[in-house]
Amino acid sequence: MMDENPAVLQEMVTTPEQQPRSDEPNPVLCNKYKYRRLLLPPFAVSLFATALGLGIYSHLQKTADPWKSKWKSAAPLCLSPACIRASEHFSVAMDPFSRPCDYFLFACGAGGSSTNRDRQRVKGEVNKHSEVRTRGLIEMRRGTDGWSKSDGQLKTFPDRQTALLTAIKEILAPDEAVSMGAAEQKAKNFFKSCMNAESREKMGSEPFLTLLQQLGGWAVSGVWNQTDFNSTLALLMGQYSTFPFFNVYVGPEPSEEQSASNRHYIQIDEPHFQFPIEWNSKTQKAKANTRYLRPFYSACGQYLVLLGVPSDRTTQHCGLFVSLSTTLAVATFPLPYRLSQKLLYRRTTIQELQTLAPAVDWLACLQATFQPLLISKSDIVLVHNLPYIIHMSKTIHLWQVQHELMGTGPLNTYMIFSLLQTLIPALDSRFFQIMRNYSIATGDTQEMPHWWRCVQQTERGFDTLLSHAIREKHAQKEAEELIQDVYSSLKKKLTDLSWRDEKESDFILNKINSLNPRISTNTNNLSYTELNHLYEKVILNEEDFFSNYLQILLLEQKSRARLLSLGTQTEGLSMTPFISGNDIIVPVGMFVSPFFHSSYPRALNYGTLGSLMAKDLLHLLLPDIYTKAKNPETESLCVWSHYLSVTKGPGWGDAFYLPSSKQQEVWVQYSALQVALDAYKMSFKRYLADSSLPGFSYVHLFLSSFTKVTCDTDAYREFMPLEPSFLVTVLCSNSGLCPKPLTCMNKPQSFPAEMCQS
């Protein structure tokens, strides 16, 4: 029986089809008369019932679907430590079986889920014509119904990045029992030295000043050896992962990204500038936002003070630094413009690039960046903004000519400031605070915990080791099975679509069938011996984080060269699938708690990570599915129409237009729920048992997991105009998983027997 709620009437009613007609006898009375007409001896009744029961049992044993016979059964409890922690995220109070009226309008934010501002904003647009908020959006009573914990709230799922960083932090903890040998110990030592802020505070700015002397000094201090521009640039790129004037990285060409080829290319792009850049779409020109140049100039002066530069030198050198920065920035273009002008992936040789942008010694700089690989002038590179590269070269040449005789060395100063930005994580907190204050001035108010930064810095050098460790600890056989089940279900879903063009559908389906989803890249298959060999030259000092950080930069350089040479990469901190050749790589970083654990009930794994993975794959493989198939439009509009009818009343179904981006996302979310459930059924039929959390049946836990994880961590929520729990309602209507009817006394209409079927 449904709990009473003083704010909302929640009395169940039956649909018209289920109500007895006035001209028919009452079912109970009818049964009463039948018993009177059929009078048999007691032993005959017993014999008949036994025979009938055995016959029915035998038939069910032969034909019963194990899923249909067990999906709502009480499940054995999972009592592992991981399950006990997971139970803190769930409550049996929101039950689509016993309380469907509550459930189908359960709002994110009620009873412990994180409030979803974007979705509430969209809902506000729907409700702006009505002063009465939908009564079905309930507020669960705290402390009496299982929703509340000791702090009055259920735990929310963290975002996926936080979950992954937390998992890595646990691996790097000194008391972590699992050992990989010397390589793992080095990663732990680096993390420990990073967390030891006291040693950095004692060192102050001395480590950076010592490094400056080794590099030949700089004009700002008055002690400078007039080092060669290209020699300094090549040194910074090769040993310190610093790219002042342009960015360099490695990746595939789009035409080869989804082919069997694993070839990767050197890619050259415009750099990241520290200040916001404005784009004028009318003039199609960029400029530095003058609002932020004053705090940018001020930060420059504060850095120089920490480095012991006399105040009388600050004005000139910071002025030149800001001027050069803004001069370079005007040739940058936003990504949409570069896409429209086909400025991305411009193929050229290093020799041709040298002719187009002669101020940079491209061969020497790229050889330093990818040592010990052999880089030649005939090698192909991919340039992503050639007009910027040409402008940069001309600017460098002009500034060399103008300032050579003056001895101000603005190009050298610019490179040293770029190096300082790279090394700020290894310096004392005063440097970081200046950078943080400037970030706040530009509108970036998000604060990152210190341990979070240390995990990211550890991953920067030990990415291969950490990917291997996550796989060993989190992504075992259960992970591989989940991937295969979800992808098999996804292929079945896409095969059943109604496509707009038969030839195009054949191409898409053939491509999807040819892809092989898997959890690891080649680097995850390294043995402990190979991992130890990879890091054998790393020597760390727990009391000297600055020198440790310099070694991390060298490890990053080796990883970059290895990627160019072998065409394989670790997922690092990746949290979404990506395509590599004929493979779909599912990063091991997806398989961490609370989204996945090998000891979890499969209903929990498939409801949380299974649904997230299905969404990711749909977005990856079919980003424009709305234009390719008919189903997304018809199904999403059907769901939207029913949602409006339930929340607003009859006749509202066509009153609010749903943009195509939101139509596509509604279909993706609903399809992901279907795919994940179908995948769970596959797993359930393969293993005719599962565990659960206290108070949950199999399917109850699955549906609750989907709703909870979508409420708390959905990366696409800005495109969703309705609550994820309503998708469960639609699914229940079509599948028979939930009891009928799914309506309440205060609702204007009942749900149809089936709604929005494919």
Side-chain angles (χ1 to χ4, degrees):
M1 183 175 177
M2 191 171 300
D3 295 344
E4 294 182 359
N5 188 317
V8 182
L9 292 176
Q10 297 176 343
E11 181 180 353
M12 296 296 294
V13 298
T14 58
T15 59
E17 290 81 359
Q18 293 170 302
Q19 293 177 348
R21 295 200 303 266
S22 59
D23 59 345
E24 291 181 348
N26 184 289
V28 176
L29 295 177
C30 180
N31 289 336
K32 177 181 177 181
Y33 298 146
K34 288 180 181 178
Y35 285 134
R36 288 181 179 176
R37 294 188 186 117
L38 184 61
L39 298 175
L40 295 174
F43 74 88
V45 173
S46 177
L47 183 62
F48 175 76
T50 302
L52 179 62
L54 288 174
I56 293 175
Y57 177 79
S58 177
H59 176 72
L60 289 176
Q61 286 294 98
K62 294 178 181 179
T63 62
D65 183 337
W67 165 256
K68 291 182 179 179
S69 62
K70 291 188 176 183
W71 61 266
K72 201 177 177 182
S73 303
L77 293 184
C78 174
L79 299 177
S80 71
C83 285
I84 294 174
R85 290 192 298 269
S87 65
E88 298 175 358
H89 295 273
F90 296 96
S91 167
V92 297
M94 267 308 186
D95 186 351
F97 307 111
S98 66
R99 303 177 65 171
C101 290
D102 294 344
Y103 194 86
F104 77 78
L105 286 178
F106 158 58
C108 294
S113 291
S114 58
T115 302
N116 186 324
R117 295 180 180 177
D118 291 320
R119 193 177 287 118
Q120 297 295 341
R121 173 181 54 78
V122 176
K123 187 172 293 178
E125 294 175 2
V126 174
N127 289 334
K128 65 183 179 182
H129 298 285
S130 173
E131 296 181 358
V132 180
R133 182 172 175 80
T134 304
R135 296 180 180 178
L137 300 175
I138 64 171
E139 281 285 332
M140 300 303 299
R141 290 172 296 163
R142 296 182 178 178
T144 59
D145 55 11
W147 272 95
S148 305
K149 296 299 176 186
S150 58
D151 60 355
Q153 291 288 324
L154 285 176
K155 283 189 175 180
T156 61
F157 276 89
D159 63 83
R160 286 198 259 180
Q161 184 181 30
T162 300
L164 176 55
L165 292 173
T166 302
I168 295 177
K169 178 187 176 184
E170 292 173 354
I171 291 172
L172 296 171
D175 58 347
E176 175 60 45
V178 179
S179 178
M180 291 184 179
E184 185 203 24
Q185 192 58 52
K186 290 178 180 179
K188 290 184 176 184
N189 290 343
F190 177 84
F191 180 72
K192 182 179 180 181
S193 69
C194 179
M195 293 295 291
N196 182 12
E198 183 178 350
S199 64
R200 290 203 296 279
E201 298 303 319
K202 291 180 180 179
M203 300 291 285
S205 58
E206 190 61 32
F208 187 76
L209 293 173
T210 301
L211 180 60
L212 272 184
Q213 292 178 0
Q214 297 172 0
L215 295 174
W218 62 336
V220 175
S221 65
V223 181
W224 180 36
N225 295 341
Q226 299 283 333
T227 49
D228 174 70
F229 168 79
N230 274 296
S231 297
T232 302
L233 180 59
L235 185 63
L236 297 187
M237 292 172 64
Q239 293 191 26
Y240 301 101
S241 286
T242 298
F243 305 94
F245 298 99
F246 50 88
N247 196 12
V248 177
Y249 53 92
V250 177
E253 193 174 17
S255 59
E256 298 182 11
E257 189 173 6
Q258 297 185 15
S259 68
S261 171
N262 282 326
R263 183 176 181 183
H264 284 58
Y265 296 87
I266 297 173
Q267 311 214 17
I268 299 172
D269 203 349
E270 59 187 44
H272 170 72
F273 289 94
Q274 299 170 36
F275 46 82
I277 300 174
E278 294 180 343
W279 173 253
N280 189 319
S281 57
K282 293 183 178 180
T283 62
Q284 295 188 339
K285 291 184 178 180
K287 68 173 184 178
N289 190 319
T290 54
R291 174 185 174 186
Y292 303 113
L293 291 183
R294 183 174 293 277
F296 183 63
Y297 174 87
S298 176
C300 171
Q302 293 173 46
Y303 286 132
L304 294 184
V305 170
L306 292 184
L307 294 173
V309 176
S311 57
D312 60 343
R313 290 177 170 271
T314 299
T315 301
Q316 180 187 28
H317 288 285
C318 284
L320 289 172
F321 173 63
V322 173
S323 178
L324 178 56
S325 299
T326 55
T327 301
L328 292 170
V330 297
T332 61
F333 301 126
L335 182 59
Y337 179 80
R338 286 193 279 170
L339 284 169
S340 67
Q341 300 299 310
K342 299 182 179 179
L343 295 176
L344 302 180
Y345 298 100
R346 165 75 181 269
R347 291 173 65 95
T348 184
T349 64
I350 295 176
Q351 187 171 9
E352 291 170 342
L353 188 60
Q354 189 65 55
T355 303
L356 294 169
V360 174
D361 187 342
W362 292 99
L363 182 61
C365 288
L366 294 178
Q367 284 176 335
T369 304
F370 295 99
Q371 59 183 315
L373 301 183
L374 297 176
I375 306 296
S376 67
K377 293 181 178 180
S378 61
D379 286 350
I380 296 291
V381 296
L382 304 178
V383 182
H384 296 293
N385 186 351
L386 187 57
Y388 167 82
I389 298 298
I390 294 173
H391 171 80
M392 172 209 68
S393 177
K394 292 178 179 179
T395 301
I396 290 173
H397 176 70
L398 181 63
W399 281 61
Q400 283 176 325
V401 172
Q402 290 180 342
H403 295 274
E404 183 176 3
L405 297 178
M406 299 172 60
T408 52
L411 295 173
N412 178 267
T413 300
Y414 186 88
M415 290 190 285
I416 297 302
F417 266 120
S418 297
L419 177 63
L420 177 63
Q421 288 296 314
T422 301
L423 297 178
I424 279 178
L427 296 173
D428 71 76
S429 60
R430 296 174 300 167
F431 290 89
F432 175 79
Q433 194 57 52
I434 294 172
M435 182 180 69
R436 180 72 193 127
N437 290 340
Y438 177 69
S439 297
I440 294 174
T442 59
D444 181 10
T445 58
Q446 185 176 2
E447 181 64 43
M448 185 183 297
H450 179 61
W451 71 265
W452 196 335
R453 298 197 300 272
C454 286
V455 168
Q456 290 180 323
Q457 290 155 19
T458 307
E459 187 274 338
R460 191 172 182 178
F462 292 94
D463 54 344
T464 301
L465 171 73
L466 292 175
S467 293
H468 195 284
I470 293 171
R471 178 180 171 84
E472 288 291 307
K473 183 175 181 180
H474 295 277
Q476 298 296 327
K477 175 185 176 184
E478 294 82 5
E480 296 280 4
E481 291 181 345
L482 186 145
I483 292 173
Q484 296 304 323
D485 288 342
V486 168
Y487 199 66
S488 295
S489 176
L490 180 68
K491 288 193 292 185
K492 185 169 65 174
K493 170 72 177 178
L494 298 180
T495 301
D496 293 337
L497 290 182
S498 176
W499 298 88
R500 299 182 187 274
D501 183 272
E502 186 175 346
K503 291 183 179 179
E504 190 168 27
S505 71
D506 290 341
F507 173 80
I508 294 174
L509 294 177
N510 288 337
K511 182 61 181 177
I512 290 175
N513 286 327
S514 69
L515 292 172
N516 174 44
R518 59 186 180 89
I519 196 173
S520 64
T521 58
N522 293 342
T523 50
N524 288 128
N525 297 324
L526 296 175
S527 66
Y528 292 158
T529 301
E530 291 171 318
L531 285 170
N532 291 334
H533 177 71
L534 195 61
Y535 300 100
E536 64 181 354
K537 294 184 179 180
V538 177
I539 301 176
L540 301 175
N541 181 348
E542 291 187 21
E543 300 300 321
D544 187 1
F545 181 65
F546 187 84
S547 65
N548 294 346
Y549 192 77
L550 295 183
Q551 292 191 68
I552 287 294
L553 299 181
L554 288 175
L555 285 175
E556 188 177 44
Q557 183 275 326
K558 291 180 180 180
S559 177
R560 192 182 298 115
R562 191 163 55 248
L563 175 57
L564 180 63
S565 174
L566 302 177
T568 58
Q569 66 185 59
T570 57
E571 300 91 354
L573 296 180
S574 298
M575 292 156 289
T576 55
F578 60 91
I579 296 176
S580 176
N582 284 332
D583 293 325
I584 298 177
I585 304 300
V586 182
V588 294
M590 293 182 69
F591 294 88
V592 296
S593 299
F595 304 105
F596 179 90
H597 196 276
S598 58
S599 72
Y600 277 175
R602 296 196 306 282
L604 178 54
N605 280 334
Y606 282 74
T608 51
L609 187 56
S611 60
L612 290 175
M613 189 183 300
K615 294 176 195 176
D616 291 340
L617 290 172
L618 285 168
H619 282 287
L620 173 69
L621 299 172
L622 297 167
D624 54 352
I625 182 63
Y626 183 82
T627 64
K628 308 293 184 184
K630 302 176 183 178
N631 307 65
E633 180 179 11
T634 55
E635 292 178 26
S636 61
L637 290 179
C638 178
V639 172
W640 179 238
S641 176
H642 281 295
Y643 182 77
L644 291 177
S645 296
V646 169
T647 57
K648 303 296 297 180
W652 286 87
D654 299 322
F656 296 95
Y657 171 72
L658 193 62
S660 58
S661 60
K662 289 183 169 61
Q663 289 182 32
Q664 173 155 317
E665 191 56 38
V666 169
W667 180 83
V668 167
Q669 297 267 356
Y670 183 45
S671 297
L673 173 59
Q674 293 174 309
V675 166
L677 178 60
D678 187 54
Y680 178 49
K681 289 180 182 179
M682 293 180 188
S683 174
F684 198 90
K685 292 175 183 178
R686 190 165 56 245
Y687 306 105
L688 300 180
D690 194 8
S691 60
S692 191
L693 301 183
F696 289 87
S697 66
Y698 301 121
V699 76
H700 181 188
L701 179 58
F702 173 88
L703 296 175
S704 297
S705 300
F706 167 81
T707 302
K708 178 68 174 172
V709 77
T710 307
C711 276
D712 290 350
T713 67
D714 184 17
Y716 308 101
R717 58 181 172 265
E718 64 180 296
F719 299 108
M720 277 297 287
L722 48 84
E723 301 296 341
S725 59
F726 190 77
L727 300 178
V728 173
T729 303
V730 180
L731 181 78
C732 285
S733 175
N734 293 336
S735 64
L737 291 176
C738 299
K740 300 297 193 307
L742 292 173
T743 60
C744 301
M745 285 283 290
N746 61 312
K747 293 303 165 193
Q749 74 173 44
S750 301
F751 290 104
E754 296 179 344
M755 60 168 108
C756 310
Q757 290 215 59
S758 301

